[in-house]
Amino acid sequence: MEKEIANYISALGVDDFGIAAVQDYHSPKSYEISKFLPDAKSIIVLGFKVLTSCESPSVTTAQNGYLDLASFARTSSYQISRFLERKYAAKTATFGISYPMEIHNDRKAIADFSQRHAAVAAGLGTFGRHNLVIHPRFGTRIQFTSIITNLALQPKPKCEEDLCIHCDLCVKNCPSQALATKGQTDVMKCYAHSQPYGLVGDITFQLQRLGSSPEEQKNMLMDQEYARLKQAAYLGNQYMCYNCLKTCPVGIKA
């Protein structure tokens, strides 16, 4: 069964994949796997190499690269889940590129499911100083999606090698100093800089508008700030900073 699944995944063009037993997935802040699929036994984690366009100095080009990747990744996850359900009568639950699907005041900026911890559990890499997953071949230039299933599949051995070279370039090049504390990412500092047109930016804009005069409100609605907030609301989270990924030298061929 594992060989058939591997062949199917490879034929779709997925760059790498791993399998983890549910009990080996440990995410300290996300929900328990049983919340998504009560009889879950395995997690199939798919790895997609980030396009070189994602490192373009043009934010528009980089964002388009990530939107393309997310679209391909979501389609791949769906096709694999259909294959598992039709071929093996499996139950599945899919998780796309990670971001919070439910907003809770006590769980700000915490995704329901952690792709990073699933990838490490599935043997696809180890955590670096930037708290991103470093893949043995692609370094940080990889994104993950996951499929939880009730199939009992053979797990892939975990990666025991420390793939981070501890150069601290990610720390030095973080404009918001979100990586100042080792082993932690100050998510709110990161989001304030990397997603200025996200939810926090929108709330800030609306509060400023409420306290403004009618003429000031008119000018604010005609400003590019408002246009970008509306655009982000339609397209989804738009990252404006990729420094931690772009400055990491691991996985770049000399």
Side-chain angles (χ1 to χ4, degrees), residues 99-155:
Y99 61 92
M101 297 293 286
E102 298 177 355
I103 305 299
H104 301 281
N105 286 336
D106 61 338
R107 293 173 51 78
K108 293 179 179 178
I110 297 175
D112 303 343
F113 175 83
S114 173
Q115 299 288 3
R116 297 181 306 123
H117 289 86
V120 170
L124 292 178
T126 57
F127 288 114
R129 176 62 179 84
H130 38 41
N131 302 319
L132 301 173
V133 176
I134 300 177
H135 185 271
R137 278 189 293 150
F138 306 128
T140 56
R141 291 154 180 83
I142 188 169
Q143 294 278 299
F144 303 102
T145 64
S146 295
I147 301 168
I148 299 171
T149 178
N150 65 336
L151 295 175
L153 302 174
Q154 182 64 40

Side-chain angles (χ1 to χ4, degrees), residues 11-173:
L12 290 176
V14 178
D15 293 298
D16 199 2
F17 82 97
I19 297 173
V22 165
Q23 60 266 25
D24 292 330
Y25 166 82
H26 302 290
S27 177
K29 295 182 179 180
S30 300
Y31 292 125
E32 295 292 328
I33 295 295
S34 58
K35 176 179 173 65
F36 315 117
L37 191 67
D39 56 347
K41 294 183 177 65
S42 305
I43 307 171
I44 301 173
V45 184
L46 312 175
F48 302 87
K49 183 182 180 299
V50 172
L51 296 172
T52 54
S53 64
C54 295
E55 297 189 51
S56 170
S58 162
V59 174
T60 297
T61 302
Q63 183 64 32
N64 277 328
Y66 276 102
L67 289 173
D68 290 342
L69 186 156
S71 178
F72 175 66
R74 184 174 289 277
T75 300
S76 298
S77 294
Y78 176 72
Q79 289 182 297
I80 294 165
S81 293
R82 274 176 56 89
F83 173 76
L84 296 176
E85 293 194 7
R86 296 170 72 176
K87 179 78 174 180
Y88 306 108
K91 294 180 183 178
T92 63
T94 62
F95 287 87
I97 303 298
S98 186
Y99 61 92
M101 297 293 286
E102 298 177 355
I103 305 299
H104 301 281
N105 286 336
D106 61 338
R107 293 173 51 78
K108 293 179 179 178
I110 297 175
D112 303 343
F113 175 83
S114 173
Q115 299 288 3
R116 297 181 306 123
H117 289 86
V120 170
L124 292 178
T126 57
F127 288 114
R129 176 62 179 84
H130 38 41
N131 302 319
L132 301 173
V133 176
I134 300 177
H135 185 271
R137 278 189 293 150
F138 306 128
T140 56
R141 291 154 180 83
I142 188 169
Q143 294 278 299
F144 303 102
T145 64
S146 295
I147 301 168
I148 299 171
T149 178
N150 65 336
L151 295 175
L153 302 174
Q154 182 64 40
K156 180 179 179 179
K158 289 186 179 180
C159 180
E160 300 296 340
E161 180 184 358
D162 183 4
L163 299 173
C164 181
I165 62 174
H166 304 282
C167 62
D168 278 356
L169 287 175
C170 54
V171 179
K172 297 171 185 174
N173 286 281

Side-chain angles (χ1 to χ4, degrees), residues 191-236:
Y191 277 14
H193 185 85
S194 65
Q195 296 186 54
Y197 307 114
L199 180 61
V200 174
D202 185 53
I203 291 173
T204 301
F205 179 88
Q206 297 300 339
L207 289 175
Q208 291 174 345
R209 187 170 70 88
L210 289 172
S212 303
S213 68
E215 185 62 28
E216 288 173 330
Q217 289 188 32
K218 179 181 177 181
N219 291 332
M220 289 178 70
L221 292 175
M222 297 300 293
D223 190 77
Q224 68 175 17
E225 183 81 5
Y226 178 70
R228 290 178 175 177
L229 286 168
K230 293 295 289 184
Q231 184 184 49
Y234 285 110
L235 293 177

